[in-house]
Amino acid sequence: MTDTLRLAEALIALPSVTPRDAGCLELIAARLRAIGFQCERLDSGPDDFRVSNLWARRGSGQRPTLVFAGHTDVVPTGPLEAWASDPFVPSHRDGALYGRGASDMKTSIAAMVVACERFLAERPDPAIDIAFLLTSDEEGPALDGTVVVCNAVKARGERLDWCIVGEPTSVQRTGDMIKNGRRGTLSGKLTVKGIQGHIAYPHLAKNPIHMAAPALAELAATEWDRGNDFFPPTSWQISNIHGGTGASNVIPGTVVIDFNFRFSTERTPESLQAQVVDILARHGLRAGSEHELAWTLGGRPFLTTPGTLVDAVRTAIREETGLETELSTTGGTSDGRFIAAVCPQVIELGPPNATIHKVNEHVKLADIEPLTAIYGRTLQHLHAQAQQTA
């Protein structure tokens, strides 16, 4: 059994359902302190939703810095009877490690720690600093986790150059895909106001669904952009529509439409908001009197173009697996959106994601050691790069 597998099992055994950390960070911090890291807890949030955060750094703070980032919290298990084994008792079946968090993302964290242990055993005074940014609030609201640590690091002026987030990004084999960016997410709640009335007397009422329909049709048909070399086109989708009393003979007084943009670097939240407002106005929906619109920005898009970090990771994957990794910006949001505000190069790299958030979540044993080695080889390449440019 490898060191990474043992540490992954120890982390899975801790029931850290978001926002609980259940002792994961102390276990990790003990390993990091033993190899020279200064560890700092930056916990945040109210008492009934306290979030555990760890910022750990090794080095002077003056050298190029690689940050390993991730989360110890996991999603709820779902019905326990649907699992073939206890989700918080790590088990092996059919060449795989089973347990909640096995893929998302306790194996990645274990691989990061072990990769650093091996790297520093060979190079106790490397040409780079190494840091860890870990939280128990990625699967939850993400209000008191990574963003809090990023704000603290920024306020102190700490140097960050590269970041690897351990999200499960691979498809078939570890290393076949990495995320070099993510789309932004912008949600809107549109409330259209009409006049409730009897459906047999429509002239005495004003149907807000009918009022909204032409604008919704145009919003759905709009080409927001054509994307670019790294991002697909921006998409607009309705997620919920609520209107009516439940009775078949009543015209509703209001209708509420929830929608979301997943947007590329071709657009800004502000430009999308302005275009939506223009479309609503063009179809006679006046702000205030006939509609209200509330916005929630979940995250701006970020992109790391090929350069020092992408090249180091690509080379490490090729050396370890023979794969030519695919760069992708697909999928949902991640804490990379917060880190990108304080670190110029951010990528995501982890094991296959086929079972994340599912019953019987697992990771193949054959994917674990290659992930550790890829992280280790990336450290080596960034160290060599820093030596050359020093």
Side-chain angles (χ1 to χ4, degrees):
M1 185 181 294
T2 68
D3 291 341
T4 303
L5 179 56
R6 280 194 292 267
L7 180 53
E9 290 180 336
L11 292 171
I12 290 169
L14 298 171
S16 55
V17 177
T18 192
R20 294 183 61 214
D21 168 69
C24 292
L25 290 184
E26 280 308 310
L27 175 60
I28 296 163
R31 297 282 286 259
L32 295 179
R33 290 189 193 100
I35 53 174
F37 280 79
Q38 299 294 316
C39 297
E40 178 183 7
R41 291 292 291 268
L42 294 170
D43 297 355
S44 180
D47 291 341
D48 61 345
F49 203 91
R50 194 68 173 167
V51 170
S52 301
N53 298 314
L54 175 68
W55 174 248
R57 185 168 195 138
R58 188 186 191 277
S60 64
Q62 303 303 312
R63 297 177 295 192
T65 302
L66 171 65
V67 181
F68 286 110
H71 60 91
T72 59
D73 60 323
V74 298
V75 296
T77 62
L80 293 175
E81 63 272 15
W83 286 73
S85 57
D86 189 317
F88 296 114
V89 176
S91 60
H92 296 196
R93 295 190 302 279
D94 304 320
L97 170 64
Y98 282 77
R100 178 56 89 219
S103 180
D104 189 13
M105 54 176 286
K106 292 183 175 182
T107 295
S108 293
I109 293 174
M112 290 169 170
V113 172
V114 172
C116 287
E117 291 174 336
R118 294 174 182 174
F119 173 74
L120 293 169
E122 296 178 0
R123 297 173 183 80
D125 187 24
I128 60 172
D129 286 3
I130 309 171
F132 276 76
L133 194 173
L134 302 175
T135 183
S136 69
D137 184 33
E138 195 273 348
E139 301 290 7
L143 299 175
D144 289 290
T146 295
V147 66
V148 168
V149 181
C150 288
N151 289 340
V153 168
K154 181 179 180 180
R156 295 194 296 228
E158 294 197 48
R159 176 175 180 174
L160 308 180
D161 295 88
W162 316 291
C163 179
I164 299 176
V165 185
E167 289 292 343
T169 60
S170 301
V171 182
Q172 299 295 331
R173 291 175 55 193
T174 289
D176 62 7
M177 179 180 287
I178 64 175
K179 305 291 185 180
N180 66 316
R182 295 276 190 169
R183 293 174 295 175
T185 176
L186 175 66
S187 296
K189 182 180 287 291
L190 172 65
T191 302
V192 179
K193 307 172 186 178
I195 299 173
Q196 182 174 311
H198 196 293
I199 206 162
Y201 301 93
H203 59 289
L204 299 178
K206 194 174 183 181
N207 194 318
I209 298 175
H210 295 187
M211 294 165 61
L216 297 181
E218 181 173 345
L219 289 165
T222 297
E223 180 182 78
W224 303 94
D225 59 56
R226 296 186 178 181
N228 55 37
D229 289 344
F230 295 99
F231 286 94
T234 293
S235 69
W236 181 88
Q237 294 291 323
I238 293 174
S239 57
N240 293 282
I241 296 180
H242 303 280
T245 64
S248 62
N249 61 349
V250 178
I251 293 172
T254 60
V255 63
V256 179
I257 300 106
D258 297 317
F259 61 85
N260 177 265
F261 284 102
R262 293 301 166 105
F263 62 101
S264 73
T265 50
E266 295 295 306
R267 299 300 300 262
T268 65
E270 295 78 13
S271 69
L272 292 171
Q273 290 171 340
Q275 191 170 352
V276 169
V277 169
D278 286 346
I279 291 172
L280 295 177
R282 188 158 57 248
H283 291 280
L285 294 176
R286 294 168 295 179
S289 61
E290 292 185 327
H291 83 266
E292 294 177 354
L293 181 55
W295 295 98
T296 302
L297 177 61
R300 294 178 182 271
F302 72 92
L303 177 67
T304 298
T305 55
T308 304
L309 179 58
V310 170
D311 292 348
V313 171
R314 274 177 156 169
T315 302
I317 291 170
R318 186 184 308 115
E319 291 171 344
E320 183 60 31
T321 68
L323 296 170
E324 292 296 332
T325 193
E326 178 183 352
L327 300 181
S328 173
T329 60
T330 58
T333 59
S334 77
D335 278 359
R337 68 191 190 275
F338 303 126
I339 300 168
V342 296
C343 182
Q345 298 183 51
V346 180
I347 65 104
E348 301 171 19
L349 164 62
N353 56 23
T355 65
I356 60 174
H357 293 203
K358 292 184 178 180
V359 168
N360 293 320
E361 179 182 351
H362 62 272
V363 61
K364 292 180 181 178
L365 297 175
D367 281 306
I368 295 176
E369 195 55 32
L371 182 61
T372 308
I374 291 166
Y375 290 150
R377 288 178 183 271
T378 301
L379 283 163
Q380 294 168 15
H381 290 307
L382 293 176
H383 160 74
Q385 173 78 10
Q387 281 185 317
Q388 293 174 4
T389 57

